[in-house]
Amino acid sequence: MAGPLTRTARYDRGGPAGGTGPRPVPALSRAVRYVSGVLARRALLLAVLLAFVFAAVELLPGDAATATSERGESAADLAARRHLLGLDRPVLERFGQWMTGLPTGDLGTSARGEPVADLLSRPFPNTLLLGGLALLVTLVVSLALGCWASARPGGAVDRAVSGGATAVLALPEFVVAVALVLVFALWTDWLPAVTLTDADGSPASWEMLVLPTLALAVPQIGWNTRIVRAALADESKAPHIETAVLDGLPRHRIFTHHLLPGALPTIAAGLATSTGMLLGGAVVVETVFNYPGIGSVLAGAVTDRDSPVIAGVVAVTGVVITGVLLLADLVRTWASGGRT
Amino acid sequence: MSTLVKPRPAVRPALRGTVLRVLPALLLVTLALIGPWLAPHAIDAPVAAPYAEPGGQAPLGGDQLGRDVLSRMLAGGRELVVTSLLVAVLVTVLAAVLGTVGALRPAVGRLVERAADVLMLLPAVLGILLVTLSWPDGGRLAVVTVSVVLGVPYAVRLVAGAAAPVAATGYVEAAAVGGERLWYLVVREVLPNLRATLLALFGLRFVAAVYLVATAGFLQVGPQPPTADWALMIRENSGGILLNPWAVLAPGIGIGLLAMSVNLAAAALVPATGRKAVPAL
């Protein structure tokens, strides 16, 4: 990762110069420059991803016009629809148009001729709600478990939590979902197994969010608990923690004021990595619970072989993940800036 | 990091523990591989009523077409395991070479880093959907290709991390100064020192591959009906989950146990070098 290295380098260069007297303005401008640098880098990575996505859709064999063709359709009809979908124009021209359309919210046209942005505008907030809830549950539970496990390193709790976390982190979400449906919907009848929607297309009641959220969160809890546990273990070896212990500070104060803040950047980075897996997993979990998110749109796209829709979904999730990674970058800057 | 080249102390008790933790995964993989020969019925012939309860001819009941769940269960793991093994082998080999080259040639290393940064923005499941839909005739080849492409950058990162200290050791530098070719340095000087890391990496990539291949099967972009496949069985039979839960539960347990046991085995094989052990799916 280039982030921490460049930041240290910049700090070292700026450090001695700032030593001649209090100069808050250069420090501020340095922060602005750092943040804009991170922004530019993230934007560039996103642009590269989008180019990759477009290339995957365009360069691989098969196109939307043939995929949605009906039986007995003549070659002339096919050519007409190709023209309608713009598939007969040069690749570079279409790529330029697609990329310049993205910032204005134009995600292109699906194989059925609907604007992709319209297709996604209703379900995507639902998916974000589901993913956001799962992220929140993951954060709370994995922090609690990680801290509990690291209270007595090597103890029974530590071994149970670490083993359990390792076991669940590789479970596919749909397997967790099926298990949850069996236990909580069919055998005990506590929670609904399918999601019903309101007139505005959102889930009808909060109970319908519980099982999808859990199915998404369980593997990520396994993953993040390990990260929290490892980050705390690393941090507890730091010299300032040993000093605090030798000084006789109370355990809980060391924990909340020294240990946790130091481990925060690692934990934030771990959660940020989870965002992509949560959004990817949401697609699968939504299919199990019939949840009205992008998963249902994608399920339709799978039958239609409608790759422009997938490209649109990848573009939008790419933007969301970029935002979360940016946030993690800023947390790291803020956490290390507070100490130096 | 220097533990990689030092002989590890207290091998005996650790070895026995490792064997105990690796054994379940080995047994399960073996069972999945020989399963098709153990199946009592054909996988595509009905032997009971649709969603029949367990009993008589079918110990685990029937599926949505009345086919024997137990036979399909025994037959349905092999493709998942073989495909995942293929992906894990390809990713490990590619990552071993690229990661070592990256440690010896920093320009290559930076390029791989950037690729990993970009792919972090693409959820693996969406990547699989994107490629399999844009390439409808790709089938299993498409799933394998995209799993390898998505897995390599993270794996390279791990190998490069472990290879960097080895590449900086005196004997590698001496060989490099002595005019040895890059290929010789990679294969003869650095890689033999990374055996433990590569073994653990293989385990972790196998876990990730099981996840991806199973999810692709569930989303119906992998194996197509009437193939017996655990993920596909879950998808096909979830409609009758109340009538014969075993038609969904058995393949679910299969995938769950496979993922968990292989993951615990991989974790047991990881050399104790700390946080790099956290796998990247």
Side-chain angles (χ1 to χ4, degrees):
Chain A
M1 295 293 263
L5 282 179
T6 40
R7 191 179 61 243
T8 328
R10 268 187 205 143
Y11 181 78
D12 287 348
R13 249 184 284 139
T20 53
R23 297 198 308 172
V25 180
L28 187 67
S29 80
R30 208 163 55 227
V32 169
R33 209 170 343 131
Y34 171 69
V35 170
S36 54
V38 168
L39 266 175
R41 188 167 156 269
R42 290 276 172 222
L44 185 70
L45 290 176
L46 186 61
V48 174
L49 171 80
L50 294 174
F52 172 77
V53 167
F54 190 86
V57 174
E58 292 302 321
L59 300 182
L60 291 173
D63 75 27
T66 43
T68 50
S69 69
E70 281 149 34
R71 211 177 304 222
E73 204 172 36
S74 71
D77 288 343
L78 260 182
R81 202 166 54 233
R82 269 214 184 88
H83 180 71
L84 202 69
L85 294 172
L87 295 176
D88 52 353
R89 285 177 296 138
V91 172
L92 269 181
E93 187 189 320
R94 277 183 289 147
F95 177 60
Q97 197 185 25
W98 191 67
M99 286 293 272
T100 47
L102 287 177
T104 63
D106 176 13
L107 295 172
T109 313
S110 80
R112 293 196 178 283
E114 292 157 289
V116 173
D118 287 0
L119 275 177
L120 300 183
S121 62
R122 273 156 76 105
F124 198 67
N126 288 338
T127 296
L128 278 186
L129 172 70
L130 184 61
L133 277 175
L135 192 65
L136 193 69
V137 171
T138 304
L139 172 69
V140 173
V141 177
S142 52
L143 259 185
L145 283 178
C147 293
W148 191 29
S150 60
R152 301 228 188 295
V157 172
D158 188 20
R159 275 178 294 158
V161 167
S162 298
T166 308
V168 298
L169 72 80
L171 283 182
E173 288 90 355
F174 70 94
V175 172
V176 181
V178 164
L180 288 173
V181 166
L182 268 175
V183 174
F184 292 103
L186 298 178
W187 291 342
T188 58
D189 204 16
W190 287 342
L191 292 160
V194 287
T195 321
L196 306 174
T197 47
D198 275 343
D200 64 345
S202 55
S205 81
W206 65 269
E207 290 173 337
M208 293 166 181
L209 282 164
V210 176
L211 289 186
T213 306
L214 279 181
L216 264 182
V218 165
Q220 299 310 320
I221 288 173
W223 165 277
N224 283 288
T225 302
R226 282 182 51 145
I227 293 180
V228 172
R229 174 76 188 80
L232 287 175
D234 274 7
E235 193 62 22
S236 65
K237 292 192 201 103
H240 72 277
I241 303 292
E242 280 176 30
T243 318
V245 173
L246 288 176
D247 283 351
L249 289 182
R251 279 173 62 101
H252 62 90
R253 194 181 156 80
I254 296 178
F255 200 83
T256 53
H257 283 67
H258 302 278
L259 212 49
L260 217 44
L264 199 61
T266 313
I267 296 170
L271 273 175
T273 325
S274 281
T275 313
M277 285 185 266
L278 278 175
L279 288 176
V283 172
V284 181
V285 167
E286 286 174 4
T287 317
V288 181
F289 292 98
N290 203 19
Y291 183 89
I294 46 169
S296 51
V297 178
L298 285 181
V302 169
T303 30
D304 284 355
R305 302 279 162 205
D306 197 343
S307 31
V309 173
I310 311 275
V313 173
V314 173
V316 181
T317 34
V319 170
V320 173
I321 296 170
T322 301
V324 177
L325 289 177
L326 195 61
L327 212 61
D329 281 345
L330 296 181
V331 166
R332 196 173 59 192
T333 320
W334 171 75
S336 59
R339 260 186 303 163
T340 47
Chain B
M1 278 308 179
S2 58
T3 49
L4 281 174
V5 276
K6 259 188 289 178
R8 276 194 282 166
V11 171
R12 276 278 146 223
L15 188 68
R16 195 203 261 160
T18 307
V19 167
L20 275 181
R21 281 190 280 176
V22 172
L23 206 58
L26 282 180
L27 281 177
L28 209 60
V29 167
T30 314
L31 189 65
L33 289 179
I34 62 167
W37 292 310
L38 304 177
H41 297 286
I43 58 160
D44 48 5
V47 297
Y51 295 127
E53 284 181 10
Q57 287 259 304
L60 290 177
D63 72 354
Q64 96 270 30
L65 297 175
R67 298 168 296 192
D68 179 29
V69 169
L70 179 66
S71 299
R72 289 178 69 78
M73 179 68 202
L74 284 167
R78 186 193 276 174
E79 181 158 340
L80 177 65
V81 168
V82 169
T83 312
S84 306
L85 278 175
L86 183 65
V87 171
V89 168
L90 286 174
V91 172
T92 309
V93 170
L94 276 172
V97 174
L98 281 175
T100 320
V101 172
L104 292 165
R105 298 276 183 279
V108 179
R110 276 197 297 276
L111 201 68
V112 172
E113 276 292 301
R114 291 294 89 82
D117 284 347
V118 170
L119 285 182
M120 197 180 258
L121 303 179
L122 177 67
V125 174
L126 291 182
I128 288 221
L129 278 178
L130 184 75
V131 172
T132 45
L133 292 196
S134 312
W135 185 11
D137 307 323
R140 179 147 68 145
L141 181 63
V143 174
V144 170
T145 310
V146 67
S147 305
V148 170
V149 170
L150 292 176
V152 161
Y154 298 105
V156 169
R157 225 178 233 187
L158 197 128
V159 175
V166 182
T169 51
Y171 66 92
V172 175
E173 278 176 4
V177 172
E180 293 291 357
R181 287 164 164 266
L182 179 64
W183 186 246
Y184 180 88
L185 292 180
V186 168
V187 177
R188 302 298 295 275
E189 304 282 355
V190 180
L191 278 182
N193 284 302
L194 299 178
R195 278 176 304 233
T197 308
L198 292 180
L199 195 61
L201 177 66
F202 172 76
L204 296 175
R205 289 332 299 179
F206 186 51
V207 178
V210 167
Y211 170 90
L212 276 185
V213 174
T215 304
F218 181 78
L219 290 172
Q220 292 181 315
V221 294
Q224 297 297 318
T227 318
D229 175 88
W230 288 347
L232 200 57
M233 284 171 78
I234 295 180
R235 179 69 177 260
E236 287 176 333
N237 295 320
S238 50
I241 196 169
L242 268 182
L243 300 167
N244 179 16
W246 285 107
V248 178
L249 205 51
I253 292 173
I255 296 177
L257 279 183
L258 184 67
M260 282 161 73
S261 64
V262 173
N263 197 25
L264 289 172
L269 293 172
V270 172
T273 47
R275 284 223 306 284
K276 288 217 167 61
V278 176
L281 285 175

PDB file of all heavy atoms in Angstrom, chain A residues 180-206:
ATOM      1  N   LEU A 180     -30.726 -20.292   8.159  1.00  0.00           N
ATOM      2  CA  LEU A 180     -31.533 -19.364   8.942  1.00  0.00           C
ATOM      3  C   LEU A 180     -33.022 -19.532   8.636  1.00  0.00           C
ATOM      4  O   LEU A 180     -33.854 -19.511   9.546  1.00  0.00           O
ATOM      5  CB  LEU A 180     -31.107 -17.913   8.643  1.00  0.00           C
ATOM      6  CG  LEU A 180     -29.760 -17.480   9.206  1.00  0.00           C
ATOM      7  CD1 LEU A 180     -29.393 -16.097   8.690  1.00  0.00           C
ATOM      8  CD2 LEU A 180     -29.806 -17.468  10.724  1.00  0.00           C
ATOM      9  N   VAL A 181     -33.343 -19.712   7.350  1.00  0.00           N
ATOM     10  CA  VAL A 181     -34.746 -19.893   6.978  1.00  0.00           C
ATOM     11  C   VAL A 181     -35.305 -21.148   7.638  1.00  0.00           C
ATOM     12  O   VAL A 181     -36.390 -21.133   8.225  1.00  0.00           O
ATOM     13  CB  VAL A 181     -34.889 -19.996   5.448  1.00  0.00           C
ATOM     14  CG1 VAL A 181     -36.267 -20.525   5.071  1.00  0.00           C
ATOM     15  CG2 VAL A 181     -34.662 -18.646   4.806  1.00  0.00           C
ATOM     16  N   LEU A 182     -34.538 -22.231   7.586  1.00  0.00           N
ATOM     17  CA  LEU A 182     -35.004 -23.481   8.191  1.00  0.00           C
ATOM     18  C   LEU A 182     -35.274 -23.299   9.667  1.00  0.00           C
ATOM     19  O   LEU A 182     -36.328 -23.685  10.178  1.00  0.00           O
ATOM     20  CB  LEU A 182     -33.948 -24.572   7.996  1.00  0.00           C
ATOM     21  CG  LEU A 182     -34.092 -25.439   6.753  1.00  0.00           C
ATOM     22  CD1 LEU A 182     -32.925 -26.382   6.636  1.00  0.00           C
ATOM     23  CD2 LEU A 182     -35.398 -26.224   6.821  1.00  0.00           C
ATOM     24  N   VAL A 183     -34.324 -22.671  10.383  1.00  0.00           N
ATOM     25  CA  VAL A 183     -34.449 -22.593  11.835  1.00  0.00           C
ATOM     26  C   VAL A 183     -35.475 -21.537  12.254  1.00  0.00           C
ATOM     27  O   VAL A 183     -36.384 -21.820  13.036  1.00  0.00           O
ATOM     28  CB  VAL A 183     -33.080 -22.291  12.482  1.00  0.00           C
ATOM     29  CG1 VAL A 183     -33.249 -22.070  13.980  1.00  0.00           C
ATOM     30  CG2 VAL A 183     -32.123 -23.439  12.218  1.00  0.00           C
ATOM     31  N   PHE A 184     -35.351 -20.327  11.710  1.00  0.00           N
ATOM     32  CA  PHE A 184     -36.152 -19.224  12.245  1.00  0.00           C
ATOM     33  C   PHE A 184     -37.490 -19.023  11.537  1.00  0.00           C
ATOM     34  O   PHE A 184     -38.384 -18.385  12.083  1.00  0.00           O
ATOM     35  CB  PHE A 184     -35.352 -17.920  12.214  1.00  0.00           C
ATOM     36  CG  PHE A 184     -34.211 -17.921  13.165  1.00  0.00           C
ATOM     37  CD1 PHE A 184     -32.918 -18.118  12.722  1.00  0.00           C
ATOM     38  CD2 PHE A 184     -34.430 -17.759  14.528  1.00  0.00           C
ATOM     39  CE1 PHE A 184     -31.861 -18.146  13.608  1.00  0.00           C
ATOM     40  CE2 PHE A 184     -33.387 -17.787  15.417  1.00  0.00           C
ATOM     41  CZ  PHE A 184     -32.102 -17.982  14.961  1.00  0.00           C
ATOM     42  N   ALA A 185     -37.619 -19.538  10.316  1.00  0.00           N
ATOM     43  CA  ALA A 185     -38.889 -19.329   9.624  1.00  0.00           C
ATOM     44  C   ALA A 185     -39.735 -20.595   9.615  1.00  0.00           C
ATOM     45  O   ALA A 185     -40.940 -20.540   9.865  1.00  0.00           O
ATOM     46  CB  ALA A 185     -38.631 -18.859   8.196  1.00  0.00           C
ATOM     47  N   LEU A 186     -39.111 -21.753   9.354  1.00  0.00           N
ATOM     48  CA  LEU A 186     -39.924 -22.945   9.164  1.00  0.00           C
ATOM     49  C   LEU A 186     -40.108 -23.744  10.447  1.00  0.00           C
ATOM     50  O   LEU A 186     -41.202 -24.204  10.739  1.00  0.00           O
ATOM     51  CB  LEU A 186     -39.295 -23.823   8.074  1.00  0.00           C
ATOM     52  CG  LEU A 186     -39.243 -23.123   6.720  1.00  0.00           C
ATOM     53  CD1 LEU A 186     -38.577 -23.993   5.679  1.00  0.00           C
ATOM     54  CD2 LEU A 186     -40.642 -22.729   6.266  1.00  0.00           C
ATOM     55  N   TRP A 187     -39.039 -23.899  11.252  1.00  0.00           N
ATOM     56  CA  TRP A 187     -39.181 -24.735  12.440  1.00  0.00           C
ATOM     57  C   TRP A 187     -39.744 -23.971  13.625  1.00  0.00           C
ATOM     58  O   TRP A 187     -40.542 -24.489  14.376  1.00  0.00           O
ATOM     59  CB  TRP A 187     -37.832 -25.388  12.782  1.00  0.00           C
ATOM     60  CG  TRP A 187     -37.445 -26.415  11.762  1.00  0.00           C
ATOM     61  CD1 TRP A 187     -38.291 -27.015  10.855  1.00  0.00           C
ATOM     62  CD2 TRP A 187     -36.156 -26.983  11.530  1.00  0.00           C
ATOM     63  NE1 TRP A 187     -37.593 -27.892  10.069  1.00  0.00           N
ATOM     64  CE2 TRP A 187     -36.283 -27.909  10.447  1.00  0.00           C
ATOM     65  CE3 TRP A 187     -34.907 -26.816  12.109  1.00  0.00           C
ATOM     66  CZ2 TRP A 187     -35.215 -28.645   9.968  1.00  0.00           C
ATOM     67  CZ3 TRP A 187     -33.837 -27.548  11.628  1.00  0.00           C
ATOM     68  CH2 TRP A 187     -33.989 -28.450  10.570  1.00  0.00           C
ATOM     69  N   THR A 188     -39.312 -22.715  13.812  1.00  0.00           N
ATOM     70  CA  THR A 188     -39.812 -21.967  14.969  1.00  0.00           C
ATOM     71  C   THR A 188     -40.882 -20.948  14.575  1.00  0.00           C
ATOM     72  O   THR A 188     -41.617 -20.470  15.422  1.00  0.00           O
ATOM     73  CB  THR A 188     -38.680 -21.228  15.687  1.00  0.00           C
ATOM     74  OG1 THR A 188     -38.059 -20.357  14.747  1.00  0.00           O
ATOM     75  CG2 THR A 188     -37.648 -22.193  16.234  1.00  0.00           C
ATOM     76  N   ASP A 189     -40.923 -20.581  13.290  1.00  0.00           N
ATOM     77  CA  ASP A 189     -41.920 -19.628  12.798  1.00  0.00           C
ATOM     78  C   ASP A 189     -41.827 -18.260  13.484  1.00  0.00           C
ATOM     79  O   ASP A 189     -42.818 -17.605  13.737  1.00  0.00           O
ATOM     80  CB  ASP A 189     -43.337 -20.208  12.972  1.00  0.00           C
ATOM     81  CG  ASP A 189     -44.300 -19.571  11.986  1.00  0.00           C
ATOM     82  OD1 ASP A 189     -43.819 -18.951  11.012  1.00  0.00           O
ATOM     83  OD2 ASP A 189     -45.522 -19.669  12.188  1.00  0.00           O
ATOM     84  N   TRP A 190     -40.618 -17.828  13.812  1.00  0.00           N
ATOM     85  CA  TRP A 190     -40.452 -16.536  14.481  1.00  0.00           C
ATOM     86  C   TRP A 190     -40.372 -15.376  13.495  1.00  0.00           C
ATOM     87  O   TRP A 190     -40.803 -14.270  13.787  1.00  0.00           O
ATOM     88  CB  TRP A 190     -39.163 -16.538  15.326  1.00  0.00           C
ATOM     89  CG  TRP A 190     -39.291 -17.367  16.563  1.00  0.00           C
ATOM     90  CD1 TRP A 190     -40.457 -17.774  17.142  1.00  0.00           C
ATOM     91  CD2 TRP A 190     -38.234 -17.889  17.372  1.00  0.00           C
ATOM     92  NE1 TRP A 190     -40.190 -18.529  18.253  1.00  0.00           N
ATOM     93  CE2 TRP A 190     -38.835 -18.613  18.421  1.00  0.00           C
ATOM     94  CE3 TRP A 190     -36.840 -17.813  17.308  1.00  0.00           C
ATOM     95  CZ2 TRP A 190     -38.090 -19.246  19.406  1.00  0.00           C
ATOM     96  CZ3 TRP A 190     -36.101 -18.440  18.289  1.00  0.00           C
ATOM     97  CH2 TRP A 190     -36.712 -19.163  19.327  1.00  0.00           C
ATOM     98  N   LEU A 191     -39.767 -15.629  12.341  1.00  0.00           N
ATOM     99  CA  LEU A 191     -39.521 -14.535  11.391  1.00  0.00           C
ATOM    100  C   LEU A 191     -39.966 -14.955   9.992  1.00  0.00           C
ATOM    101  O   LEU A 191     -39.966 -16.139   9.669  1.00  0.00           O
ATOM    102  CB  LEU A 191     -38.021 -14.192  11.370  1.00  0.00           C
ATOM    103  CG  LEU A 191     -37.483 -13.559  12.641  1.00  0.00           C
ATOM    104  CD1 LEU A 191     -35.973 -13.701  12.729  1.00  0.00           C
ATOM    105  CD2 LEU A 191     -37.871 -12.089  12.716  1.00  0.00           C
ATOM    106  N   PRO A 192     -40.363 -13.980   9.163  1.00  0.00           N
ATOM    107  CA  PRO A 192     -40.820 -14.332   7.810  1.00  0.00           C
ATOM    108  C   PRO A 192     -39.674 -14.789   6.908  1.00  0.00           C
ATOM    109  O   PRO A 192     -38.558 -14.281   7.000  1.00  0.00           O
ATOM    110  CB  PRO A 192     -41.431 -13.025   7.289  1.00  0.00           C
ATOM    111  CG  PRO A 192     -40.821 -11.954   8.101  1.00  0.00           C
ATOM    112  CD  PRO A 192     -40.459 -12.543   9.429  1.00  0.00           C
ATOM    113  N   ALA A 193     -39.971 -15.769   6.044  1.00  0.00           N
ATOM    114  CA  ALA A 193     -38.938 -16.320   5.161  1.00  0.00           C
ATOM    115  C   ALA A 193     -38.863 -15.570   3.839  1.00  0.00           C
ATOM    116  O   ALA A 193     -37.879 -15.666   3.125  1.00  0.00           O
ATOM    117  CB  ALA A 193     -39.206 -17.798   4.898  1.00  0.00           C
ATOM    118  N   VAL A 194     -39.923 -14.840   3.486  1.00  0.00           N
ATOM    119  CA  VAL A 194     -39.882 -14.069   2.242  1.00  0.00           C
ATOM    120  C   VAL A 194     -40.188 -12.610   2.547  1.00  0.00           C
ATOM    121  O   VAL A 194     -40.776 -12.287   3.570  1.00  0.00           O
ATOM    122  CB  VAL A 194     -40.896 -14.585   1.191  1.00  0.00           C
ATOM    123  CG1 VAL A 194     -40.447 -15.888   0.607  1.00  0.00           C
ATOM    124  CG2 VAL A 194     -42.265 -14.667   1.795  1.00  0.00           C
ATOM    125  N   THR A 195     -39.738 -11.729   1.651  1.00  0.00           N
ATOM    126  CA  THR A 195     -39.960 -10.310   1.838  1.00  0.00           C
ATOM    127  C   THR A 195     -41.147  -9.874   0.994  1.00  0.00           C
ATOM    128  O   THR A 195     -41.180 -10.126  -0.207  1.00  0.00           O
ATOM    129  CB  THR A 195     -38.719  -9.518   1.403  1.00  0.00           C
ATOM    130  OG1 THR A 195     -37.572 -10.242   1.817  1.00  0.00           O
ATOM    131  CG2 THR A 195     -38.706  -8.152   2.032  1.00  0.00           C
ATOM    132  N   LEU A 196     -42.125  -9.247   1.632  1.00  0.00           N
ATOM    133  CA  LEU A 196     -43.223  -8.644   0.888  1.00  0.00           C
ATOM    134  C   LEU A 196     -42.936  -7.157   0.769  1.00  0.00           C
ATOM    135  O   LEU A 196     -42.268  -6.577   1.622  1.00  0.00           O
ATOM    136  CB  LEU A 196     -44.559  -8.861   1.629  1.00  0.00           C
ATOM    137  CG  LEU A 196     -44.869 -10.321   1.958  1.00  0.00           C
ATOM    138  CD1 LEU A 196     -46.114 -10.438   2.802  1.00  0.00           C
ATOM    139  CD2 LEU A 196     -45.017 -11.113   0.669  1.00  0.00           C
ATOM    140  N   THR A 197     -43.433  -6.547  -0.297  1.00  0.00           N
ATOM    141  CA  THR A 197     -43.104  -5.143  -0.506  1.00  0.00           C
ATOM    142  C   THR A 197     -44.323  -4.243  -0.385  1.00  0.00           C
ATOM    143  O   THR A 197     -45.450  -4.651  -0.659  1.00  0.00           O
ATOM    144  CB  THR A 197     -42.477  -4.929  -1.889  1.00  0.00           C
ATOM    145  OG1 THR A 197     -43.271  -5.612  -2.845  1.00  0.00           O
ATOM    146  CG2 THR A 197     -41.069  -5.452  -1.927  1.00  0.00           C
ATOM    147  N   ASP A 198     -44.064  -3.007   0.035  1.00  0.00           N
ATOM    148  CA  ASP A 198     -45.073  -1.957   0.056  1.00  0.00           C
ATOM    149  C   ASP A 198     -45.365  -1.493  -1.367  1.00  0.00           C
ATOM    150  O   ASP A 198     -44.711  -1.914  -2.318  1.00  0.00           O
ATOM    151  CB  ASP A 198     -44.533  -0.752   0.843  1.00  0.00           C
ATOM    152  CG  ASP A 198     -44.768  -0.925   2.322  1.00  0.00           C
ATOM    153  OD1 ASP A 198     -45.608  -1.775   2.668  1.00  0.00           O
ATOM    154  OD2 ASP A 198     -44.108  -0.230   3.112  1.00  0.00           O
ATOM    155  N   ALA A 199     -46.314  -0.557  -1.451  1.00  0.00           N
ATOM    156  CA  ALA A 199     -46.633   0.001  -2.768  1.00  0.00           C
ATOM    157  C   ALA A 199     -45.430   0.743  -3.359  1.00  0.00           C
ATOM    158  O   ALA A 199     -45.225   0.773  -4.571  1.00  0.00           O
ATOM    159  CB  ALA A 199     -47.816   0.958  -2.648  1.00  0.00           C
ATOM    160  N   ASP A 200     -44.573   1.322  -2.488  1.00  0.00           N
ATOM    161  CA  ASP A 200     -43.440   2.092  -3.007  1.00  0.00           C
ATOM    162  C   ASP A 200     -42.215   1.213  -3.261  1.00  0.00           C
ATOM    163  O   ASP A 200     -41.137   1.731  -3.560  1.00  0.00           O
ATOM    164  CB  ASP A 200     -43.099   3.251  -2.064  1.00  0.00           C
ATOM    165  CG  ASP A 200     -42.623   2.755  -0.709  1.00  0.00           C
ATOM    166  OD1 ASP A 200     -42.829   1.553  -0.425  1.00  0.00           O
ATOM    167  OD2 ASP A 200     -42.062   3.548   0.057  1.00  0.00           O
ATOM    168  N   GLY A 201     -42.365  -0.110  -3.127  1.00  0.00           N
ATOM    169  CA  GLY A 201     -41.282  -0.998  -3.492  1.00  0.00           C
ATOM    170  C   GLY A 201     -40.273  -1.267  -2.402  1.00  0.00           C
ATOM    171  O   GLY A 201     -39.243  -1.879  -2.649  1.00  0.00           O
ATOM    172  N   SER A 202     -40.549  -0.831  -1.161  1.00  0.00           N
ATOM    173  CA  SER A 202     -39.621  -1.125  -0.073  1.00  0.00           C
ATOM    174  C   SER A 202     -40.199  -2.262   0.772  1.00  0.00           C
ATOM    175  O   SER A 202     -41.395  -2.555   0.685  1.00  0.00           O
ATOM    176  CB  SER A 202     -39.399   0.135   0.774  1.00  0.00           C
ATOM    177  OG  SER A 202     -40.637   0.627   1.219  1.00  0.00           O
ATOM    178  N   PRO A 203     -39.354  -2.922   1.589  1.00  0.00           N
ATOM    179  CA  PRO A 203     -39.849  -4.032   2.405  1.00  0.00           C
ATOM    180  C   PRO A 203     -40.993  -3.585   3.313  1.00  0.00           C
ATOM    181  O   PRO A 203     -40.978  -2.476   3.852  1.00  0.00           O
ATOM    182  CB  PRO A 203     -38.632  -4.438   3.234  1.00  0.00           C
ATOM    183  CG  PRO A 203     -37.472  -3.944   2.474  1.00  0.00           C
ATOM    184  CD  PRO A 203     -37.920  -2.717   1.756  1.00  0.00           C
ATOM    185  N   ALA A 204     -42.015  -4.457   3.484  1.00  0.00           N
ATOM    186  CA  ALA A 204     -43.225  -4.054   4.186  1.00  0.00           C
ATOM    187  C   ALA A 204     -43.022  -3.902   5.689  1.00  0.00           C
ATOM    188  O   ALA A 204     -43.688  -3.090   6.324  1.00  0.00           O
ATOM    189  CB  ALA A 204     -44.342  -5.045   3.891  1.00  0.00           C
ATOM    190  N   SER A 205     -42.130  -4.685   6.311  1.00  0.00           N
ATOM    191  CA  SER A 205     -41.931  -4.521   7.751  1.00  0.00           C
ATOM    192  C   SER A 205     -40.476  -4.831   8.120  1.00  0.00           C
ATOM    193  O   SER A 205     -39.762  -5.485   7.364  1.00  0.00           O
ATOM    194  CB  SER A 205     -42.862  -5.438   8.538  1.00  0.00           C
ATOM    195  OG  SER A 205     -42.320  -6.743   8.579  1.00  0.00           O
ATOM    196  N   TRP A 206     -40.072  -4.349   9.290  1.00  0.00           N
ATOM    197  CA  TRP A 206     -38.677  -4.484   9.687  1.00  0.00           C
ATOM    198  C   TRP A 206     -38.298  -5.945   9.914  1.00  0.00           C
ATOM    199  O   TRP A 206     -37.145  -6.323   9.753  1.00  0.00           O
ATOM    200  CB  TRP A 206     -38.396  -3.658  10.953  1.00  0.00           C
ATOM    201  CG  TRP A 206     -39.148  -4.146  12.159  1.00  0.00           C
ATOM    202  CD1 TRP A 206     -40.369  -3.731  12.578  1.00  0.00           C
ATOM    203  CD2 TRP A 206     -38.729  -5.164  13.089  1.00  0.00           C
ATOM    204  NE1 TRP A 206     -40.743  -4.419  13.696  1.00  0.00           N
ATOM    205  CE2 TRP A 206     -39.759  -5.302  14.036  1.00  0.00           C
ATOM    206  CE3 TRP A 206     -37.593  -5.959  13.206  1.00  0.00           C
ATOM    207  CZ2 TRP A 206     -39.686  -6.201  15.095  1.00  0.00           C
ATOM    208  CZ3 TRP A 206     -37.521  -6.865  14.255  1.00  0.00           C
ATOM    209  CH2 TRP A 206     -38.557  -6.976  15.186  1.00  0.00           C
TER     210      TRP A 206
END
